[in-house]
Amino acid sequence: MNTATVPEPRTAAALAARRRKTEAALERVHQAIARLRREKAQFSVAAVARRADVSRAFLYDNAEARSAVAAAMTEAGEHRPQMLAAQDNEREATWRERALNAEDALKAAHTEILAHRTRIGELLRQICDLQAEWTEEAIQRITTENTTLKQRIRQLATENRTLDERLKAARSSLRFQDRRVADLEAPIADPGSAT
């Protein structure tokens, strides 16, 4: 049996090319892990393999890549509950703020409606009390002002209903967010029951 020997320089060149390819793949793995951290995305072997354009087998077979992925997954696992809690707090804060803004606008609308109704009542009393003493021009002016105020009341009543609907929607969303927070806090408070 005659075996052909591969010249030494070709073997060394092939080994060097393979080493460069492995180092480039490792660099892509580290970059993919860094991108996933920046984006605060969920870590998995598949996600790192996709981002780094390497196979999952490479990540399992290469010791450095395997340890980098394992360390990143461990770190992400430690920070995930804190990140979820922070996101939920942000969402809850925006809903609470919207609900408070809607309540303030609703109170302001009620106050303005009451002020207009009071003014209309005063004007109507003046009309009744002094109708005989007033000129036709003054009666026309008061009637026009009264009509304008009634239109404003109708407009404010419509706005009041709209704000009331928004407030109800915001409260409903806040209740949903509270349930969501409670659902997310339960596994954090009792990690053994999450499995």
Side-chain angles (χ1 to χ4, degrees):
M1 196 173 241
N2 192 6
T3 59
T5 59
V6 179
E8 189 71 22
R10 285 181 60 194
T11 306
L15 289 174
R18 184 174 180 194
R19 201 175 303 115
R20 283 193 303 274
K21 184 178 177 185
T22 301
E23 289 172 1
L26 281 172
E27 180 60 30
R28 289 195 310 271
V29 167
H30 290 296
Q31 290 173 354
I33 290 171
R35 268 195 317 254
L36 286 170
R37 278 188 184 133
R38 274 194 310 272
E39 296 170 3
K40 296 181 181 171
Q42 191 167 2
F43 275 93
S44 67
V45 174
V48 174
R50 256 192 320 275
R51 296 276 181 116
D53 195 24
V54 296
S55 67
R56 291 184 195 178
F58 174 80
L59 294 177
Y60 288 116
D61 292 342
N62 187 289
E64 186 180 342
R66 185 175 56 243
S67 66
V69 171
M73 288 175 69
T74 303
E75 182 182 331
E78 293 170 0
H79 292 293
R80 184 117 179 108
Q82 296 164 350
M83 184 178 64
L84 288 174
Q87 289 173 348
D88 287 340
N89 287 340
E90 288 176 20
R91 283 190 214 115
E92 185 178 338
T94 59
W95 283 109
R96 279 196 178 135
E97 185 177 330
R98 288 179 187 172
L100 291 173
N101 289 343
E103 286 178 358
D104 290 342
L106 189 63
K107 286 177 185 176
H110 281 298
T111 304
E112 192 171 348
I113 288 171
L114 183 61
H116 285 294
R117 284 183 179 164
T118 305
R119 178 74 176 135
I120 287 173
E122 291 170 0
L123 292 175
L124 286 174
R125 271 194 305 274
Q126 287 177 2
I127 288 174
C128 290
D129 291 344
L130 305 174
Q131 192 168 14
E133 298 176 11
W134 289 10
T135 64
E136 189 64 30
E137 181 181 281
I139 292 173
Q140 183 65 33
R141 181 180 51 81
I142 290 175
T143 305
T144 304
E145 187 176 347
N146 189 26
T147 305
T148 304
L149 288 173
K150 285 181 181 178
Q151 288 174 350
R152 182 68 179 145
I153 284 178
R154 280 194 296 273
Q155 179 185 5
L156 288 172
T158 303
E159 290 175 9
N160 188 19
R161 280 192 299 275
T162 303
L163 289 172
D164 199 24
E165 290 169 3
R166 285 184 186 171
L167 179 61
K168 287 178 184 174
R171 284 180 176 158
S172 174
S173 296
L174 186 57
R175 283 192 297 272
F176 173 77
Q177 289 298 325
D178 285 341
R179 282 192 300 254
R180 173 90 171 111
V181 167
D183 290 345
L184 290 173
E185 287 176 346
I188 293 171
D190 188 11
S193 67
T195 59

